[in-house]
Amino acid sequence: MMPEQMIRWARWARSEPWIWSWLATLGVWLATIAFTQGRGSGEVLTAALVFATFTVIVGLGQMMVVTLGPGNVDLSIPGTIALAGCAAMKLTDSENPLLLVGILAALGIGVAVGMFNYGLIRLLRIPPIIATLSTSFIVQSAAIAYGRGIRIKPAPMLADFATARILGVPVLAMVVALGSIVIGIALARSRFGRSVLAIGQNMRAARLAGIAVDRTRFATYVLSAVLASICGVVLSGFSGGAALDMGDEYLLASIAVVVIGGTSVAGGKANVPGIWGAALFMYLLVTMLNTFGASPGIRLIMTGVIIIGVILVAGGEEQ
Amino acid sequence: MIGLTAVSNPKLLRSILPALSLALVLGAIFIKLPTAMSYFGLNLLLQYAVPIALATVAQMFVITVNDLDLSMGAYVGLVACIGATLLHDNPPLGVLALAACLAAYAVMGAAVQLRGLPSIVLTLGMSFVWSGFAVLLLSTPGGHAPDWLHNLMALPVPVVPFPIVAAAVIACVVELGLMRSSFGVILRGAGGNSKAVARAGWSLLAAKVAMFTLAGVFGMLAGLSLLGLTGAGDAHIADRYTLYSIAGVILGGGEFVGGRVSPAGAVLGALTLALANSFLNFLHISPDWQIGAQGAILILVLALRALIGAMERRP
């Protein structure tokens, strides 16, 4: 390419940061099907859509929190996923009629965790990283103590919903896609979304402009925890029950999809399509390494290296 | 004059808070287990204090420049694995591998500074890389600690238990280097007011690289001392050290931003954590609740600090 074209392209890519995650997704998908010579290319995409959906659910919450500005991050997501999943399974006890109770309990846990998080941040002036980390210790302990040895199957309705497909497309992915569109519109149009962006750009200015800073931050942390609890419910529905460690991988995943997806870590700039691209990329990356027959050690190393590589290319702020 | 004393009191309170928390935990232990108040008892209770203190100091270096290392536990585990395999079987290769780890830390510091990357994400990614190498070296727990390492950690010190002596040495060395030297002022300034430090002609890149490399060095010492205690390596031997190290820095009075840290406090914080851990074990508190108890201790100390902060601000 001519240098001038490259500059123009680079400028466009900078203004549309989600493009990187989708390019990376395409790249690993092509590498995978090149290795299998085209076999199973569709199945891989369907599976990616399913697993990416779970990451997108928590990624959207993390995105809103990160958009609040530097230092804002929710590390309590894994604990919330585990506790909400366990509570939903235990209270539902595999019975359809009790499903509503289980879901309401999980949502209640989400609201409580979010409120506790923001309570620590606001009342005790604890930095969000430490506040949500401390919360996650406690929530994780509660999940371990409460869910010890549980192996309760999800209610059939929940399991059916989490695994249903229409024309090969997972229903859950469609629902979450709709939810993503709602969040995207909310960010661009609603008072809440625009307040989040304004606070992320400059909290002081936002406060002076009369934006309800505390209420907005509070609602954002609650939203993130509630999304994590929803993820816990559908994830246990999908995988035939809750497990205590099922949230663990979503700590890195939720933060990584936000950054890889082009949401500004400095805050004030969110990107919904990027979350999807990054979540698909993360899943396809693991699939690719599995297809190549990499050993667990190599797989871990490559996952880390490639994630860092994409962040180095796509993320980062101009100095 | 009256106003001055009122202001200075909360400050004093804040500075002795780490020591106060340690005394509190010690007091609780001695009431519950009077036999622990002996050379042997303290040695046992503080067994893992040295690696935790070293990891905490490592984390403190990173926090000083407003970053966070979420790969500390995986890194300490990898070092233990290198020590139990390469360093034991082929010392030159082992030293080379450890040097490569330090180089990786230096590069991490440079990447954070040059690309403005959030350290949380970079180090989370690195935790995969460390664990991956550790699993490659030792897919199942095993290996042997080099004899010299084992002997060093079992060093018989008269009168005062070894962990206390080691912790005091660590605290003094880092306190002198970071808090009392002119070099340390610049390094802390890079976290406190990076613009001012840059205007004064110092390289922020060098500061960041120096702090990350120091974190690599102390994390390495943590891994080696842990290996000396356990005798064998395991890729997941130190997974909890990420949380321990962050909690230790905060308990020790470190602030998250602005380069306000305290090496002596961090070591005290680490000792508090190590003691609290052993104590919870002795009390037969279910391991389920141990992580939760640590979260609660963290919140409690931070609440106290917020209270003191409110006292400071009151005119």
Side-chain angles (χ1 to χ4, degrees):
Chain A
M1 262 193 289
M2 297 291 289
E4 205 170 310
Q5 272 175 305
M6 272 174 75
I7 290 167
R8 200 176 307 151
W9 195 83
R11 202 172 292 151
W12 179 74
R14 194 164 291 287
S15 67
E16 303 288 340
W18 52 269
I19 197 78
W20 296 106
S21 60
W22 286 91
L23 278 179
T25 306
L26 188 66
V28 287
W29 182 61
L30 287 178
T32 311
I33 61 170
F35 188 82
T36 62
Q37 286 154 354
R39 265 177 293 116
S41 53
E43 285 87 336
V44 168
L45 275 188
T46 314
L49 213 49
V50 172
F51 285 98
T53 306
F54 302 120
T55 317
V56 167
I57 298 174
V58 286
L60 287 171
Q62 189 73 274
M63 177 191 78
M64 298 298 279
V65 170
V66 169
T67 303
L68 284 175
N72 283 290
V73 69
D74 186 354
L75 299 186
S76 64
I77 286 175
T80 313
I81 291 178
L83 185 59
C86 288
M89 291 306 102
K90 228 171 161 171
L91 291 173
T92 308
D93 204 15
S94 314
E95 303 284 345
N96 275 339
L98 290 174
L99 188 56
L100 192 66
V101 179
I103 292 177
L104 284 179
L107 292 180
I109 287 170
V111 172
V113 171
M115 285 171 67
F116 190 69
N117 274 336
Y118 194 64
L120 291 181
I121 295 169
R122 183 73 184 89
L123 300 177
L124 298 188
R125 298 170 190 274
I126 301 177
I129 296 180
I130 289 296
T132 54
L133 191 70
S134 314
T135 307
S136 91
F137 287 177
I138 294 172
V139 175
Q140 199 100 46
S141 267
I144 295 172
Y146 177 70
R148 173 152 293 284
I150 63 155
R151 207 60 207 151
I152 303 171
K153 285 202 179 323
M157 259 169 77
L158 177 64
D160 291 345
F161 168 73
T163 50
R165 286 177 190 185
I166 296 177
L167 301 172
V169 183
V171 171
L172 192 59
M174 294 190 225
V175 173
V176 175
L178 265 179
S180 311
I181 293 172
V182 170
I183 288 194
I185 292 174
L187 266 172
R189 297 289 152 101
S190 78
R191 175 190 288 263
F192 168 67
R194 298 185 75 123
S195 301
V196 169
L197 291 173
I199 292 168
Q201 280 157 21
N202 190 333
M203 189 153 92
R204 226 176 104 75
R207 201 185 291 275
L208 291 174
I211 289 173
V213 172
D214 282 322
R215 212 184 311 152
T216 308
R217 292 181 75 202
F218 173 73
T220 310
Y221 275 93
V222 171
L223 175 68
S224 173
V226 166
L227 284 172
S229 66
I230 292 175
C231 180
V233 174
V234 289
L235 191 58
S236 359
F238 180 77
S239 40
L244 292 173
D245 59 352
M246 70 181 178
D248 289 0
E249 58 184 295
Y250 291 97
L251 177 59
L252 172 83
S254 68
I255 300 174
V257 294
V258 169
V259 180
I260 294 175
T263 292
S264 166
V265 255
K269 227 158 86 186
N271 196 310
V272 177
I275 300 283
W276 274 93
L280 288 168
F281 164 69
M282 297 269 290
Y283 177 77
L284 286 172
L285 175 63
V286 177
T287 310
M288 179 184 79
L289 294 170
N290 278 331
T291 316
F292 290 176
S295 76
I298 298 283
R299 219 156 54 213
L300 280 170
I301 296 172
M302 290 304 292
T303 309
V305 166
I306 294 177
I307 289 172
I308 292 172
V310 173
I311 295 166
L312 275 176
V313 174
E317 313 292 312
E318 287 298 292
Q319 288 292 295
Chain B
M1 216 39 213
I2 297 161
L4 204 70
T5 43
V7 170
S8 67
N9 261 348
K11 277 214 173 106
L12 184 73
L13 217 56
R14 175 196 285 273
S15 60
I16 61 163
L17 195 57
L20 209 64
S21 343
L22 180 61
L24 220 64
V25 175
L26 262 180
I29 290 177
F30 289 156
I31 290 171
K32 212 66 184 158
L33 302 159
T35 46
M37 210 181 341
S38 65
Y39 179 85
F40 181 72
L42 277 176
N43 231 339
L44 207 64
L45 277 174
L46 285 166
Q47 211 180 0
Y48 289 99
V50 176
I52 294 179
L54 286 164
T56 302
V57 170
Q59 186 69 259
M60 187 203 68
F61 284 121
V62 179
I63 288 181
T64 307
V65 282
N66 301 346
D67 285 311
L68 197 64
D69 184 358
L70 293 182
S71 73
M72 188 53 73
Y75 174 70
V76 171
L78 171 63
V79 170
C81 284
I82 293 176
T85 53
L86 297 179
L87 201 63
H88 180 266
D89 306 329
N90 184 351
L93 192 64
V95 171
L96 209 66
L98 292 179
C101 289
L102 288 186
Y105 255 93
V107 172
M108 275 159 73
V112 166
Q113 179 64 29
L114 291 177
R115 293 286 294 142
L117 284 179
S119 53
I120 312 181
V121 191
L122 183 72
T123 53
L124 264 178
M126 280 311 288
S127 70
F128 278 65
V129 178
W130 303 135
S131 298
F133 278 113
V135 168
L136 280 184
L137 281 172
L138 271 179
S139 50
T140 51
H144 291 284
D147 289 333
W148 56 268
L149 204 54
H150 195 70
N151 293 337
L152 180 70
M153 290 311 290
L155 199 68
V157 181
V159 189
V160 188
F162 172 67
I164 295 179
V165 178
V169 170
I170 298 164
C172 287
V173 168
V174 182
E175 188 81 31
L176 281 178
L178 192 64
M179 309 307 280
R180 308 262 180 247
S181 78
S182 50
F183 188 57
V185 170
I186 297 156
L187 290 178
R188 281 185 291 132
N193 191 340
S194 56
K195 277 199 181 113
V197 170
R199 288 260 164 80
W202 299 99
S203 160
L204 287 178
L205 178 64
K208 212 61 140 188
V209 169
M211 286 312 238
F212 271 79
T213 313
L214 277 170
V217 171
F218 278 82
M220 182 171 293
L221 295 176
L224 291 176
S225 58
L226 181 60
L227 175 64
L229 288 170
T230 59
D234 173 11
H236 297 291
I237 196 170
D239 281 359
R240 280 193 179 179
Y241 275 50
T242 305
L243 305 179
Y244 286 162
S245 62
I246 299 173
V249 175
I250 301 299
L251 285 181
E255 301 267 339
F256 236 128
V257 284
R260 280 176 71 174
V261 293
S262 155
V267 171
L268 286 179
L271 289 181
T272 312
L273 274 181
L275 273 177
N277 256 352
S278 306
F279 187 48
L280 291 175
N281 273 328
F282 271 104
L283 285 185
H284 298 294
I285 292 201
S286 143
D288 302 351
W289 286 104
Q290 288 192 12
I291 324 170
Q294 267 158 19
I297 292 175
L298 211 56
I299 291 173
L300 200 71
V301 169
L302 287 167
L304 276 178
R305 209 192 289 171
L307 205 69
I308 295 170
M311 276 163 68
E312 271 177 351
R313 268 189 305 279
R314 213 169 41 195

